[in-house]
């Protein structure tokens, strides 16, 4: 089987819930009781990893885990309990705007100068920050646009046609080498990161798992199709200015041409996607199902809420001069002494 399809190894667990799910997937132990999920920290490492493991069975799965595990009824029962805990916490904690117009307008307000992650990276990010950022984000970008494809059968008319058009771009417009997930793997190569799917799952903090789990939650539940569309709008609307700053960061640090290209591509592509999502996907969905407006707002605001939590984790750790990952990355490979001066060499001077 193609390496890309084999699935990553199951990661180490982060507590009793994820340990039980892992051993069940290995066929060596029982599942956690749903009551255990109800008592766990909804944003903590243990619950988020347990939920991530359940969701990943719908993407590439894990090496050694039979594909039938995807529809194992007992595992689905545990997944439902984990979703219930996470979803109800999000409903309680997300500051939700009063209207869709307000939620969309808020996305255009830039954070106070220098307070966002992309502001920090463009102004003063060093290569080690960029490597950590890419490793964390790889959990999504190596399956970029996959969770959003699940919404297609749940849409109709203008919303469906427009969503498919944006997804077509995300999947490379018919060219495998232009798939955004592939462009991100190219970026990772420039940054001396391992491009194997799932490689940085264990390094990623719970805050990033929650961001990806949110997409899977919205994508896998037809009932949450409005929230998925809201989530997608948040991503597309905030992407273009953020990508401009990240492209600047890649250029300033000499990260490499593919690293610059990934974000340059998103500056232009997402400026268009933003308009299509606003007017056609959201507009079309509301034309068909106007009662979904509050769900769209929730999707936007819950995404913002979790992205802010992730941003705080990264900036707090970096501000203290520490790695934001659970386990710091290994330094890039040393070039051999006789190797000519290469762009890899430049990277070393920035990586502490
Ligand atoms: Fe993209
Ligand atoms: Fe996009």
């Amino acid at each position: 089987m193609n390496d890309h399809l084999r699935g990553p190894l199951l990661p180490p667990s982060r507590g009793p819930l994820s340990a039980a799910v892992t051993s069940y997937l290995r066929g060596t132990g029982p599942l956690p009781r749903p009551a255990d999920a109800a008592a766990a920290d909804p944003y903590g490492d243990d619950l988020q990893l347990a939920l991530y493991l359940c969701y990943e069975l719908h993407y590439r799965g894990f090496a050694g885990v039979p594909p039938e595990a995807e529809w194992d009824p007992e595992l689905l029962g545990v997944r439902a309990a984990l979703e219930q805990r996470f979803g109800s916490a999000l409903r309680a904690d997300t500051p939700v705007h009063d209207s869709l117009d307000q939620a969309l307008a808020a996305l255009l307000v830039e954070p106070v100068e220098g307070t966002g992650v992309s502001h920090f990276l463009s102004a003063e990010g060093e290569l080690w920050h960029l490597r950590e950022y890419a490793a964390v984000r790889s959990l999504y970008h190596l399956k970029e646009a996959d969770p959003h494809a699940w919404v297609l059968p749940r849409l109709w008319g203008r919303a469906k046609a427009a969503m498919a058009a944006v997804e077509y771009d995300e999947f490379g417009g018919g060219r495998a080498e232009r798939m955004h997930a592939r462009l991100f793997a190219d970026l990772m190569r420039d940054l001396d990161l391992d491009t194997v799917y799932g490689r940085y799952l264990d390094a990623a903090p719970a805050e990033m798992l929650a961001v990806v789990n949110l997409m899977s939650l919205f994508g896998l539940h037809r009932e949450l199709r409005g929230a998925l569309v809201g989530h997608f709008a948040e991503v597309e609307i905030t992407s273009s200015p953020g990508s401009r700053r990240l492209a600047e960061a890649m250029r300033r640090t000499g990260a490499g041409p593919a690293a610059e290209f990934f974000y340059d591509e998103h500056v232009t592509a997402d400026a268009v996607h933003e308009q299509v999502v606003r007017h056609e996907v959201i507009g079309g969905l509301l034309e068909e199902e106007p009662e979904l407006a509050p769900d769209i707002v929730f999707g936007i605001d819950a995404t913002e809420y979790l992205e802010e939590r992730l941003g705080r984790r990264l900036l707090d750790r970096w501000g203290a001069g520490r790695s934001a990952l659970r386990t710091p990355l290994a330094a890039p490979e040393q070039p051999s002494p006789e190797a000519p001066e290469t762009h890899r060499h430049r990277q070393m001077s920035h990586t502490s």
Side-chain angles (χ1 to χ4, degrees), residues 281-348:
V281 181
I282 291 182
L285 181 61
L286 288 177
E287 203 172 78
E288 297 280 337
E289 301 185 277
E291 68 282 6
L292 293 185
D295 286 352
I296 301 175
V297 174
F298 174 65
I300 293 171
D301 288 333
T303 306
E304 280 282 287
Y305 176 66
L306 292 182
E307 284 288 348
E308 277 175 29
R309 292 180 86 258
L310 173 62
R312 228 176 304 132
R313 156 85 183 204
L314 298 177
L315 293 174
D316 285 354
R317 293 294 185 101
W318 290 340
R322 296 170 57 198
S323 168
L325 306 182
R326 297 176 70 244
T327 42
L329 299 170
E333 273 174 43
Q334 298 277 352
S336 61
E338 60 276 8
E341 178 79 11
T342 61
H343 117 107
R344 174 177 301 247
H345 210 125
R346 283 204 317 275
Q347 288 186 4
M348 289 303 298

Side-chain angles (χ1 to χ4, degrees), residues 144 170 180 266:
E144 186 165 329
E170 303 290 346
H180 288 186
H266 280 82

